[in-house]
Amino acid sequence: ASAERMLEAGQITEALIFAGDCLSDWPLAERYLPGCTLLGDGYALLRLSLRPGGIQISRIATRNYPDYAGGLDGPAEEMARFNRAQLQIITEALDQTGHDARRDALFPHNINGLCWRLFSRMTGQPKDRVHDGLVREIGHCCNADPFLVLDRALKAGTTVDGTILSIGMAGFVGVAAIRNEAALAQAA
Protein backbone atom coordinates (compact mmCIF):
# COMPACT_ATOMS: atom_id res chain seq x y z
CA ALA A 1 0.00 0.00 0.00
CA SER A 2 2.91 2.39 0.69
CA ALA A 3 4.43 1.72 -2.74
CA GLU A 4 1.04 2.38 -4.31
CA ARG A 5 0.76 5.76 -2.56
CA MET A 6 4.30 6.79 -3.55
CA LEU A 7 3.71 5.75 -7.19
CA GLU A 8 0.42 7.66 -7.39
CA ALA A 9 1.98 10.74 -5.77
CA GLY A 10 4.78 10.71 -8.36
CA GLN A 11 7.46 10.30 -5.67
CA ILE A 12 8.80 7.21 -7.46
CA THR A 13 8.34 5.69 -10.93
CA GLU A 14 8.94 2.05 -9.93
CA ALA A 15 9.14 -0.03 -6.79
CA LEU A 16 10.68 -3.41 -6.12
CA ILE A 17 9.06 -5.44 -3.37
CA PHE A 18 10.77 -8.56 -2.09
CA ALA A 19 8.78 -11.12 -0.10
CA GLY A 20 10.16 -14.34 1.23
CA ASP A 21 10.85 -16.68 4.06
CA CYS A 22 13.64 -19.16 4.67
CA LEU A 23 12.64 -21.76 7.23
CA SER A 24 14.99 -24.57 6.18
CA ASP A 25 17.11 -24.07 9.30
CA TRP A 26 14.11 -24.84 11.54
CA PRO A 27 13.89 -28.40 12.86
CA LEU A 28 11.55 -30.57 10.76
CA ALA A 29 9.33 -31.08 13.82
CA GLU A 30 8.59 -27.33 13.78
CA ARG A 31 8.14 -27.10 10.00
CA TYR A 32 5.73 -30.03 9.62
CA LEU A 33 2.15 -29.42 10.76
CA PRO A 34 0.43 -32.84 10.64
CA GLY A 35 -2.54 -32.92 8.29
CA CYS A 36 -1.92 -29.33 7.22
CA THR A 37 1.42 -28.53 5.60
CA LEU A 38 5.17 -28.50 5.52
CA LEU A 39 6.75 -25.07 5.85
CA GLY A 40 9.06 -24.41 2.91
CA ASP A 41 11.31 -21.70 1.55
CA GLY A 42 9.99 -19.32 -1.07
CA TYR A 43 10.70 -15.88 -2.48
CA ALA A 44 8.96 -13.47 -4.79
CA LEU A 45 10.14 -10.20 -6.32
CA LEU A 46 7.55 -7.78 -7.64
CA ARG A 47 8.33 -4.85 -9.90
CA LEU A 48 5.58 -2.25 -9.63
CA SER A 49 4.90 0.79 -11.79
CA LEU A 50 1.94 2.75 -13.09
CA ARG A 51 2.57 1.65 -16.71
CA PRO A 52 -0.31 -0.11 -18.50
CA GLY A 53 -0.14 -3.82 -19.34
CA GLY A 54 0.88 -6.87 -17.38
CA ILE A 55 -0.69 -7.74 -14.06
CA GLN A 56 -2.61 -4.79 -12.65
CA ILE A 57 -3.06 -4.64 -8.87
CA SER A 58 -5.93 -2.62 -7.43
CA ARG A 59 -8.22 -2.39 -4.41
CA ILE A 60 -5.55 -3.26 -1.86
CA ALA A 61 -6.76 -3.81 1.70
CA THR A 62 -4.98 -4.86 4.87
CA ARG A 63 -6.22 -5.49 8.37
CA ASN A 64 -4.82 -6.74 11.64
CA TYR A 65 -6.85 -8.80 14.11
CA PRO A 66 -4.96 -8.30 17.40
CA ASP A 67 -6.99 -11.02 19.16
CA TYR A 68 -4.88 -13.57 17.25
CA ALA A 69 -1.48 -11.87 17.52
CA GLY A 70 0.20 -14.86 19.20
CA GLY A 71 0.25 -16.95 16.03
CA LEU A 72 2.07 -20.27 16.42
CA ASP A 73 3.58 -19.03 19.68
CA GLY A 74 0.22 -18.09 21.16
CA PRO A 75 -1.92 -20.22 23.45
CA ALA A 76 -3.81 -23.17 21.93
CA GLU A 77 -7.15 -21.52 22.75
CA GLU A 78 -6.19 -18.46 20.69
CA MET A 79 -5.24 -20.65 17.72
CA ALA A 80 -8.55 -22.52 18.00
CA ARG A 81 -10.45 -19.19 17.96
CA PHE A 82 -8.45 -18.08 14.91
CA ASN A 83 -9.23 -21.32 13.07
CA ARG A 84 -12.95 -20.89 13.80
CA ALA A 85 -12.87 -17.26 12.60
CA GLN A 86 -10.70 -17.83 9.53
CA LEU A 87 -13.51 -18.21 6.97
CA GLN A 88 -15.21 -15.05 8.23
CA ILE A 89 -11.91 -13.13 8.11
CA ILE A 90 -11.33 -14.34 4.53
CA THR A 91 -14.83 -13.37 3.45
CA GLU A 92 -14.52 -9.89 4.99
CA ALA A 93 -11.17 -9.35 3.24
CA LEU A 94 -12.46 -10.51 -0.15
CA ASP A 95 -15.52 -8.27 0.18
CA GLN A 96 -13.16 -5.28 0.41
CA THR A 97 -11.85 -5.99 -3.10
CA GLY A 98 -15.20 -6.81 -4.70
CA HIS A 99 -14.17 -10.45 -5.19
CA ASP A 100 -16.88 -12.38 -7.06
CA ALA A 101 -16.60 -16.00 -5.91
CA ARG A 102 -18.43 -17.33 -8.96
CA ARG A 103 -16.28 -15.42 -11.50
CA ASP A 104 -12.88 -14.52 -10.03
CA ALA A 105 -9.85 -16.72 -9.44
CA LEU A 106 -8.35 -16.80 -5.95
CA PHE A 107 -4.61 -16.97 -5.23
CA PRO A 108 -4.32 -17.61 -1.49
CA HIS A 109 -1.74 -18.97 0.89
CA ASN A 110 -0.53 -22.36 -0.25
CA ILE A 111 -1.78 -24.12 2.90
CA ASN A 112 -4.79 -25.70 4.52
CA GLY A 113 -6.68 -27.36 1.68
CA LEU A 114 -9.55 -28.12 4.06
CA CYS A 115 -10.10 -24.39 4.62
CA TRP A 116 -10.26 -23.76 0.87
CA ARG A 117 -12.66 -26.68 0.28
CA LEU A 118 -14.95 -25.29 3.01
CA PHE A 119 -14.62 -21.79 1.53
CA SER A 120 -15.61 -23.13 -1.91
CA ARG A 121 -18.62 -24.93 -0.49
CA MET A 122 -19.79 -21.91 1.55
CA THR A 123 -19.33 -19.26 -1.14
CA GLY A 124 -19.89 -21.08 -4.42
CA GLN A 125 -16.28 -20.37 -5.43
CA PRO A 126 -15.41 -23.18 -7.89
CA LYS A 127 -12.59 -25.19 -6.29
CA ASP A 128 -10.66 -25.22 -9.58
CA ARG A 129 -10.48 -21.39 -9.36
CA VAL A 130 -8.77 -21.55 -5.94
CA HIS A 131 -5.07 -21.87 -6.76
CA ASP A 132 -3.57 -23.52 -3.69
CA GLY A 133 -1.96 -26.56 -5.28
CA LEU A 134 1.75 -26.06 -4.67
CA VAL A 135 1.87 -27.34 -1.11
CA ARG A 136 2.88 -30.88 -2.20
CA GLU A 137 5.76 -29.51 -4.28
CA ILE A 138 7.21 -26.71 -2.18
CA GLY A 139 5.27 -26.49 1.07
CA HIS A 140 3.84 -23.35 2.62
CA CYS A 141 6.21 -20.46 1.91
CA CYS A 142 4.46 -17.91 4.10
CA ASN A 143 4.21 -14.42 2.58
CA ALA A 144 5.47 -15.51 -0.87
CA ASP A 145 2.66 -18.07 -1.38
CA PRO A 146 0.09 -15.94 -3.24
CA PHE A 147 2.75 -14.80 -5.69
CA LEU A 148 4.14 -18.31 -6.21
CA VAL A 149 0.70 -19.74 -7.04
CA LEU A 150 0.02 -16.70 -9.25
CA ASP A 151 3.29 -17.30 -11.10
CA ARG A 152 2.38 -20.97 -11.64
CA ALA A 153 -1.03 -19.99 -13.04
CA LEU A 154 0.55 -17.45 -15.40
CA LYS A 155 3.03 -20.04 -16.69
CA ALA A 156 0.14 -22.47 -17.28
CA GLY A 157 -1.78 -19.84 -19.26
CA THR A 158 -4.58 -19.72 -16.68
CA THR A 159 -6.81 -16.65 -16.47
CA VAL A 160 -5.61 -14.75 -13.43
CA ASP A 161 -8.31 -12.12 -13.04
CA GLY A 162 -9.28 -12.32 -9.41
CA THR A 163 -7.74 -11.80 -6.01
CA ILE A 164 -4.50 -12.49 -4.15
CA LEU A 165 -4.92 -13.16 -0.44
CA SER A 166 -2.54 -13.57 2.46
CA ILE A 167 -3.84 -14.46 5.89
CA GLY A 168 -1.53 -15.18 8.79
CA MET A 169 -2.09 -16.96 12.06
CA ALA A 170 -0.90 -13.85 13.86
CA GLY A 171 -4.05 -12.05 12.75
CA PHE A 172 -2.81 -10.16 9.69
CA VAL A 173 -4.66 -10.26 6.38
CA GLY A 174 -3.75 -8.60 3.08
CA VAL A 175 -5.77 -8.76 -0.10
CA ALA A 176 -5.69 -7.18 -3.57
CA ALA A 177 -7.67 -7.46 -6.78
CA ILE A 178 -5.58 -8.41 -9.83
CA ARG A 179 -6.19 -8.31 -13.56
CA ASN A 180 -3.96 -9.49 -16.42
CA GLU A 181 -4.06 -6.66 -18.96
CA ALA A 182 -1.44 -8.40 -21.14
CA ALA A 183 -3.83 -11.34 -21.67
CA LEU A 184 -6.70 -8.95 -22.39
CA ALA A 185 -4.61 -7.12 -25.02
CA GLN A 186 -3.63 -10.42 -26.72
CA ALA A 187 -7.27 -11.55 -26.83
CA ALA A 188 -8.43 -8.30 -28.48
Side-chain angles (χ1 to χ4, degrees):
S2 296
E4 178 186 32
R5 285 191 296 273
M6 290 189 302
L7 285 164
E8 288 176 354
Q11 294 174 308
I12 59 174
T13 59
E14 291 185 335
L16 292 177
I17 298 176
F18 179 74
D21 288 287
C22 179
L23 305 172
S24 59
D25 59 342
W26 286 20
L28 184 58
E30 292 181 27
R31 291 189 309 134
Y32 176 63
L33 307 174
C36 187
T37 197
L38 175 68
L39 299 175
D41 299 338
Y43 306 93
L45 180 65
L46 297 124
R47 180 178 167 199
L48 304 174
S49 73
L50 292 177
R51 290 190 304 267
I55 301 294
Q56 298 294 306
I57 299 173
S58 64
R59 295 180 300 221
I60 298 168
T62 60
R63 182 166 176 197
N64 184 286
Y65 293 81
D67 290 349
Y68 312 115
L72 284 174
D73 297 324
E77 184 275 329
E78 180 182 294
M79 183 62 68
R81 282 187 297 106
F82 173 78
N83 289 334
R84 286 190 303 273
Q86 190 171 12
L87 288 174
Q88 180 180 344
I89 292 169
I90 291 167
T91 302
E92 288 172 5
L94 293 175
D95 286 348
Q96 291 182 303
T97 65
H99 181 83
D100 182 337
R102 289 176 170 54
R103 183 195 73 218
D104 295 336
L106 182 60
F107 302 90
H109 267 171
N110 191 30
I111 188 172
N112 200 345
L114 175 60
C115 174
W116 300 119
R117 285 190 299 278
L118 289 171
F119 173 80
S120 291
R121 217 176 291 140
M122 288 177 56
T123 64
Q125 171 91 43
K127 179 64 177 113
D128 65 340
R129 303 219 9 107
V130 177
H131 299 273
D132 67 334
L134 288 179
V135 76
R136 286 186 179 110
E137 292 177 43
I138 61 173
H140 169 44
C141 301
C142 301
N143 64 33
D145 277 354
F147 304 104
L148 296 172
V149 295
L150 175 62
D151 181 63
R152 175 65 59 94
L154 287 167
K155 287 177 179 172
T158 304
T159 301
V160 299
D161 293 349
T163 309
I164 54 176
L165 171 73
S166 178
I167 178 169
M169 290 187 291
F172 178 81
V173 63
V175 63
I178 58 171
R179 186 178 74 221
N180 189 351
E181 283 193 355
L184 293 174
Q186 289 175 349

